[in-house]
């Protein structure tokens, strides 16, 4: 391992963009399975009323996404990817273990950061009524002390978001590290990309452009009171963008960054 290797997020993004069409050709069934799992609520609407249906659907979706990421990482690192991506073996089990370990840690960190931010908001004793009566365009100075309290609390909230995204980006490397390394690498992955978390996180945000763009489109459409074509279209569009574009883009970006950190990792062919 070369912990001193300098990440190149833009180069990893370019490689990820080229990786997406390869994923469509080489592991389409894994992506289709992930997309179908996201459409369970509309494909099987009768099951929604059954006890425990929601947790069961969530488990199925997580397992389908783990299988999809496993197939994508297998493809990147030139490992056997089964029949068009349909494969389940030890790499996927290790990937699931790494996901559970890092997921628990991220949930704890999210709770700590959220409590800290809410605690600061409460400690400042913000007068929300006074703030609401002051035009936003006037700026913090016109709002008096309450305005500066709000600015300070907002800055802390933004810092907490940045810290969480950096943690998320660094821990997300556990996926390609686990599949390529042949063993479960969970929280241990934090020692790689040390000092480069902001670069890694910035690239991950850029790699999330398809999902963020779809979310923005839906928000703008809702604000403009535009109507979507119906439930099947909604779920189908989200499933297609998420499973068909976003997931392979994330996988390609993270695998590209890990390949940079691990000199032994082969580049995509």
């Amino acid at each position: 391992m070369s912990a001193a290797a300098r990440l190149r997020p833009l180069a990893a993004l370019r490689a990820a963009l080229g990786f997406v069409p390869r994923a469509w050709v080489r592991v389409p069934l894994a992506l289709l399975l992930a997309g179908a799992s996201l459409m369970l609520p509309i494909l099987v609407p009768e099951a929604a009323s059954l006890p425990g249906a929601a947790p069961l659907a969530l488990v199925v979706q997580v397992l389908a996404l783990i299988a999809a990421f496993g197939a994508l990482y297998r493809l990147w690192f030139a490992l056997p990817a089964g029949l068009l991506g349909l494969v389940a073996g030890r790499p996927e089990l290790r990937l699931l273990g790494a996901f559970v370990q890092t997921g628990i840690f991220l949930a704890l960190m999210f709770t700590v950061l959220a409590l800290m931010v809410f605690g600061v908001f409460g400690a400042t004793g913000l007068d929300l009524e006074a703030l609401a009566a002051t035009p936003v365009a006037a700026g913090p100075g016109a709002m008096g002390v309450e305005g500066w309290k709000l600015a300070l609390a907002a800055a802390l909230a933004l810092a907490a978001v940045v810290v969480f995204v950096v943690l998320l980006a660094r821990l997300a490397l556990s996926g390609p590290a686990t599949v390529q390394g042949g063993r479960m690498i969970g929280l241990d992955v934090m020692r790689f990309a040390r000092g480069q978390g902001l670069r890694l996180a910035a690239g991950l945000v850029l790699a999330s452009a398809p999902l963020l763009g779809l979310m923005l489109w839906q928000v703008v459409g809702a604000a403009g009171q535009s109507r979507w074509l119906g439930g099947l279209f909604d779920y189908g569009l989200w499933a297609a963008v998420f499973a068909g574009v976003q997931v392979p883009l994330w996988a390609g970006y993270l695998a590209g960054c890990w390949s940079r950190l691990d000199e032994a990792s082969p580049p995509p062919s």
Side-chain angles (χ1 to χ4, degrees), residues 226-251:
S226 64
R227 299 187 63 181
W228 289 57
L229 298 182
L232 181 60
F233 175 79
D234 290 355
Y235 276 99
L237 180 62
W238 278 96
V241 172
F242 188 78
V245 180
Q246 189 60 80
V247 167
L249 193 57
W250 275 338

Side-chain angles (χ1 to χ4, degrees), residues 36-37 39-50 53 57:
S37 71
M39 295 185 66
L40 281 177
I42 198 166
L43 292 177
V44 193
E46 301 82 4
S49 59
L50 298 177

Side-chain angles (χ1 to χ4, degrees), residues 27-263:
V27 292
L29 293 184
L31 300 180
L32 286 173
L33 180 62
S37 71
L38 298 176
M39 295 185 66
L40 281 177
I42 198 166
L43 292 177
V44 193
E46 301 82 4
S49 59
L50 298 177
L56 179 60
L58 180 60
V59 170
V60 171
Q61 290 167 351
V62 169
L63 292 178
L65 287 173
I66 290 293
F69 274 105
L72 290 165
Y73 291 140
R74 282 172 177 262
L75 176 61
W76 181 280
F77 295 115
L79 298 174
L83 177 62
L84 299 178
L86 285 184
V87 59
R90 291 183 179 179
E92 285 70 31
L93 290 176
R94 299 187 190 106
L95 195 60
L96 178 60
F99 171 79
V100 171
Q101 186 183 75
T102 56
I104 291 174
F105 178 78
L106 283 172
L108 291 175
M109 291 304 302
F110 178 84
T111 302
V112 170
L113 291 171
L115 289 175
M116 181 179 67
V117 171
F118 284 127
V120 170
F121 267 95
T124 55
L126 287 172
D127 187 349
L128 297 180
E129 293 183 359
L131 290 173
T134 306
V136 176
M143 299 179 186
V145 176
E146 298 301 323
W148 291 111
K149 288 181 180 179
L150 178 62
L152 177 62
L156 178 62
L158 179 60
V161 171
V162 171
V163 168
F164 183 78
V165 173
V166 169
L167 281 174
L168 174 63
R170 293 181 65 184
L171 288 173
L173 290 175
S174 64
T178 292
V179 174
Q180 190 275 334
R183 62 186 181 90
M184 192 188 90
I185 302 177
L187 299 181
D188 292 345
V189 81
M190 290 286 287
R191 63 192 178 94
F192 302 102
R194 188 171 297 156
Q196 304 186 74
L198 285 175
R199 294 165 59 84
L200 180 64
L204 186 62
V205 172
L206 290 176
S208 304
L211 183 60
L212 296 176
L214 183 58
M215 293 172 64
L216 179 61
W217 180 45
Q218 188 171 26
V219 169
V220 171
Q225 297 182 348
S226 64
R227 299 187 63 181
W228 289 57
L229 298 182
L232 181 60
F233 175 79
D234 290 355
Y235 276 99
L237 180 62
W238 278 96
V241 172
F242 188 78
V245 180
Q246 189 60 80
V247 167
L249 193 57
W250 275 338
Y253 172 72
L254 293 171
C257 289
W258 179 251
S259 296
R260 177 68 180 171
L261 294 175
D262 185 348
E263 296 177 350

